Amino acid sequence: MKRKQIMSLLLGAMLLFGCSSPSLESIRLSVEDAKEIEVGDTVEVEVETDPSDFELDKESFRVTKKADLSLKENTLLVVPQTAGEYQVTASQDDVTSNTLRFTVKEKENKKEDTKEDVKEETESSQQNPVKDAQGSDNAPETSSNSNSSSSDNAISWSQSDPLSVDETLQYGDLLQKSGQSVWLQGDLPQTMTNGGMILYNADHSTFISIEDPMHLIDFGGTNAMIVGKIKQQGNSYCVVVEKAYAL
């Protein structure tokens, strides 16, 4: 009788031992391409374990900066919420993985978006465009007042496209008299000239002077969009910068 009891206990222990889950031996994290990651992108981190069928918990993963985490089979999905260097590790059952590192950049605004933003801001304070004799969408308008002479007619300016430097110089007198902010596009030199800051036309054959009282232009050697008012400067004109964007 005792022999049967001992055999039953041994058999139960063997069955219990045989059905227990294998212990975790190692964890390895890897990512295929982590070169151009921006805030909001999804980074797929491959998770390898030994044994391969061992399932990790989401709580086993640690990220050094703010990110949204989700676990899908053998892949950890990381969505970074801020720029900077990230470190990802996993730890479970006294087993710790390698440290995975990658750098996240701020999202870059497309040049087209920047240009469109400037256009919308400027158009919101101006009238609908009227085409001039040359077919341009930038044209001056005058409105007469019955209590004043024709020479005192008010001048307003309508734009749907940025002015070139040549157009700005051409319409300089009208732009100055309108007192409105206009937006123009041209090339900034790499460095300041002896005479100060300037904006070139397309072939760099002429330029318009720039006054930047708020020091908004801290870049050079690039095409730029500038918003500001036009004023007389000697025999030419100058733009007083209110906003500036590198293109």
Side-chain angles (χ1 to χ4, degrees):
M1 186 68 177
K2 289 184 177 180
R3 186 178 180 182
K4 288 184 178 180
Q5 290 178 341
I6 294 172
M7 291 296 293
S8 297
L9 291 172
L10 289 173
L11 181 60
M14 292 175 63
L15 290 173
L16 181 62
F17 181 78
C19 294
S20 63
S21 301
S23 60
L24 179 63
E25 297 294 335
S26 66
I27 309 170
R28 178 167 178 78
L29 308 179
S30 61
V31 61
E32 287 188 4
D33 188 4
K35 294 180 180 179
E36 298 294 334
I37 302 174
E38 295 182 345
V39 173
D41 289 347
T42 299
V43 182
E44 297 185 1
V45 178
E46 296 297 325
V47 182
E48 299 178 24
T49 59
D50 182 15
S52 59
D53 58 350
F54 194 95
E55 294 184 1
L56 295 177
D57 301 325
K58 177 184 172 183
E59 290 72 21
S60 301
F61 296 91
R62 296 289 181 271
V63 182
T64 55
K65 295 184 76 68
K66 187 177 180 181
D68 294 334
L69 303 180
S70 59
L71 194 57
K72 183 178 180 182
E73 298 180 351
N74 294 327
T75 303
L76 176 70
L77 304 179
V78 181
V79 183
Q81 300 300 306
T82 184
E85 182 176 322
Y86 280 69
Q87 297 182 18
V88 184
T89 56
S91 181
Q92 188 166 323
D93 296 347
D94 296 326
V95 177
T96 302
S97 72
N98 60 304
T99 300
L100 188 67
R101 294 179 174 84
F102 55 84
T103 301
V104 177
K105 301 177 181 179
E106 293 284 0
K107 270 197 180 302
E108 295 182 3
N109 294 327
K110 295 181 179 178
K111 293 180 180 179
E112 292 79 5
D113 295 340
T114 302
K115 180 177 178 179
E116 193 63 30
D117 291 341
V118 179
K119 180 176 178 179
E120 289 176 359
E121 289 179 6
T122 308
E123 286 183 344
S124 65
S125 61
Q126 297 178 337
Q127 301 177 9
N128 294 329
V130 178
K131 291 196 174 184
D132 60 17
Q134 287 74 35
S136 170
D137 286 336
N138 303 313
E141 295 178 354
T142 59
S143 56
S144 59
N145 189 319
S146 57
N147 296 325
S148 61
S149 64
S150 59
S151 61
D152 294 329
N153 285 348
I155 298 174
S156 64
W157 186 267
S158 299
Q159 278 187 262
S160 65
D161 293 305
L163 288 168
S164 66
V165 171
D166 295 308
E167 288 175 321
T168 306
L169 294 173
Q170 177 185 354
Y171 296 118
D173 186 54
L174 295 173
L175 294 171
Q176 180 191 5
K177 290 179 180 178
S178 72
Q180 296 175 222
S181 297
V182 298
W183 56 303
L184 61 151
Q185 185 174 350
D187 293 334
L188 286 172
Q190 185 66 46
T191 58
M192 307 299 177
T193 66
N194 292 332
M197 195 179 298
I198 61 174
L199 190 71
Y200 282 114
N201 64 351
D203 60 5
H204 291 203
S205 61
T206 190
F207 61 85
I208 188 170
S209 297
I210 296 174
E211 283 189 12
D212 187 15
M214 294 183 287
H215 305 289
L216 300 176
I217 302 177
D218 57 359
F219 48 87
T222 184
N223 194 248
M225 192 85 69
I226 293 177
V227 179
K229 293 181 180 179
I230 305 301
K231 73 174 189 177
Q232 187 84 31
Q233 188 180 67
N235 296 326
S236 188
Y237 300 94
C238 172
V239 56
V240 182
V241 180
E242 296 171 354
K243 296 180 182 180
Y245 306 86
L247 300 181

